[in-house]
Amino acid sequence: MPAFSRLVQFIAKDSRKYYGEAILPPGVTDLSKVTQAHVIKGNILGNHEVTEQIADVKRLLAPLSRDYVRTVRCLGLNYEQHAKEVIALQRTGVRRHANSKIVRHAHTKVPSALRKHALTTCSISQRAAYPNTQYKPITSLTGPFDNITIPEPAQEVEGVDYECELVAVIGKKASNVPESKALEYVLGYAVGNDVSHREWQFKRGGGQWSLGKGFDRWAPWGPGLVTSRIIKDPQALNISTKVNGETVQQSSTKDMIFSVAQTIAFLSQGTTLLPGDLIFTGTPQGVGSGKKPPLWLKDGDVVEVGLEGVGTCVNKVEHVKSRPKL
């Protein structure tokens, strides 16, 4: 068990970077509101201590630096209502052929945005038996208030979407872990945004989802890490997304098809999970591609993802130009 309960990484007013135990006023649980923290010394994933030294928080960073993170795993269609949302998209005119090729109904016009979101790599019934998993590169990770940068290839066609997700961070080596013990391997929980480009995810990725989810800074997460001392049950938390102040996703982690414990047990079968590994556990219903008309993120939009007991990440969408090659 770590020495901290609410971990934050931050730039202090002395311009130095610290890890700290967040100091929050009574009744406040949103770590994005933290202004002070007890400095933590040592290895966050190993031996460390919470000191009496207090530092003023100037800017929050991602809860763990990239040096600590080994892999970023993600689950797709892991909320019941989101799965139903995608089934509804499939019924607008896209069906799966027995040979696994996607074909359109002969006389049905399907909006391209809905069609692309329905182009899944396996059927809903398969997801009921096994989680759908993919990876994001660690270069996609960014802080709770950093901009979501949209590179030129992702600007060629609309399709940038939001996905609020509970993020579980592995705290100790996990191999062939039973579901009953799985939560003992969790260092803590955060909230993240699995930013996705549906055109790249389903059409330009050659059948692999990761290309549409792996651009730099497409995984804001934070605003801190909350341990099981505070969050006793990760399946009983409200989770939401706002775009420009309007709520577009509102659900509970109890709607997950595969719980955090089930996910860790599944992923650790024959594959060792290492301390610092991140697991984005899926998004609820209300994604932009499921709305009519689709709600794609645009340059200048502000996206806020929130998780009960953890807090909020607020990120602005920014179109950027490619840097010249040296």
Side-chain angles (χ1 to χ4, degrees):
M1 180 67 71
F4 54 82
S5 295
R6 292 185 171 98
L7 175 72
V8 289
Q9 184 185 190
F10 61 97
I11 301 295
K13 290 185 178 180
D14 63 8
S15 298
R16 298 179 62 185
K17 184 166 68 174
Y18 296 97
Y19 286 98
E21 170 75 45
I23 300 173
L24 291 172
V28 176
T29 60
D30 187 342
L31 286 173
S32 69
K33 309 299 184 185
V34 66
T35 59
Q36 289 186 318
H38 285 280
V39 172
I40 296 175
K41 294 184 177 180
N43 184 342
I44 294 300
L45 299 180
N47 294 325
H48 60 271
E49 64 172 337
V50 179
T51 71
E52 294 299 317
Q53 179 186 352
I54 294 177
D56 293 323
V57 176
K58 181 179 179 181
R59 181 168 65 94
L60 285 175
L61 306 175
L64 293 178
S65 68
R66 290 180 185 173
D67 294 339
Y68 281 123
V69 179
R70 309 296 186 90
T71 61
V72 184
R73 293 171 170 84
C74 305
L75 267 62
L77 292 181
N78 193 38
Y79 278 69
E80 185 68 31
Q81 294 305 312
H82 180 47
K84 292 179 179 179
E85 181 178 51
V86 173
I87 291 173
L89 297 181
Q90 291 176 327
R91 288 174 179 170
T92 64
V94 180
R95 64 183 177 85
R96 180 166 297 280
H97 194 265
N99 65 2
S100 297
K101 293 181 179 179
I102 299 294
V103 295
R104 294 180 58 180
H105 290 299
H107 303 293
T108 305
K109 291 184 178 180
V110 184
S112 60
L114 301 182
R115 183 170 69 253
K116 290 165 187 172
H117 189 61
L119 301 182
T120 54
T121 55
C122 58
S123 68
I124 299 299
S125 61
Q126 286 175 310
R127 284 192 178 88
Y130 304 102
N132 174 278
T133 61
Q134 65 263 201
Y135 287 83
K136 292 174 84 88
I138 61 172
T139 49
S140 67
L141 296 174
T142 193
F145 300 107
D146 295 337
N147 286 356
I148 299 167
T149 54
I150 311 299
E152 288 182 320
Q155 299 173 33
E156 294 173 0
V157 62
E158 61 186 5
V160 182
D161 211 343
Y162 50 82
E163 294 188 4
C164 61
E165 308 205 7
L166 178 150
V167 180
V169 181
I170 298 299
K172 58 183 179 179
K173 188 180 292 187
S175 179
N176 299 313
V177 174
E179 180 183 337
S180 61
K181 300 287 187 180
L183 295 185
E184 297 176 12
Y185 291 80
V186 175
L187 178 68
Y189 304 97
V191 64
N193 187 350
D194 181 11
V195 181
S196 308
H197 195 301
R198 303 309 181 191
E199 174 80 10
W200 277 88
Q201 181 180 354
F202 298 120
K203 186 175 181 179
R204 302 189 182 190
Q208 300 295 322
W209 285 16
S210 295
L211 277 176
K213 292 172 171 283
F215 290 106
D216 290 352
R217 303 176 77 172
W218 277 33
W221 73 296
L225 204 60
V226 180
T227 70
S228 59
R229 289 196 191 95
I230 306 297
I231 296 180
K232 305 294 185 183
D233 182 3
Q235 307 308 142
L237 305 173
N238 293 321
I239 187 168
S240 64
T241 301
K242 293 181 180 180
V243 176
N244 299 327
E246 180 181 350
T247 299
V248 292
Q249 287 184 289
Q250 183 72 59
S251 187
S252 169
T253 55
K254 68 182 179 182
D255 193 46
M256 284 187 190
I257 296 172
F258 297 96
S259 68
V260 175
Q262 290 171 326
T263 297
I264 292 171
F266 177 81
L267 292 177
S268 69
Q269 295 178 103
T271 301
T272 301
L273 305 180
L274 297 173
D277 282 356
L278 271 56
I279 305 173
F280 280 64
T281 56
T283 196
Q285 77 279 8
V287 293
S289 51
K291 297 186 182 299
K292 300 180 182 179
L295 178 62
W296 302 127
L297 297 178
K298 305 180 298 299
D299 187 31
D301 283 349
V302 176
V303 188
E304 178 180 336
V305 293
L307 181 66
E308 182 182 1
V310 174
T312 54
C313 297
V314 183
N315 307 92
K316 185 178 180 179
V317 178
E318 178 190 12
H319 284 200
V320 296
K321 293 183 178 181
S322 299
R323 294 178 180 176
K325 296 182 179 179
L326 298 177

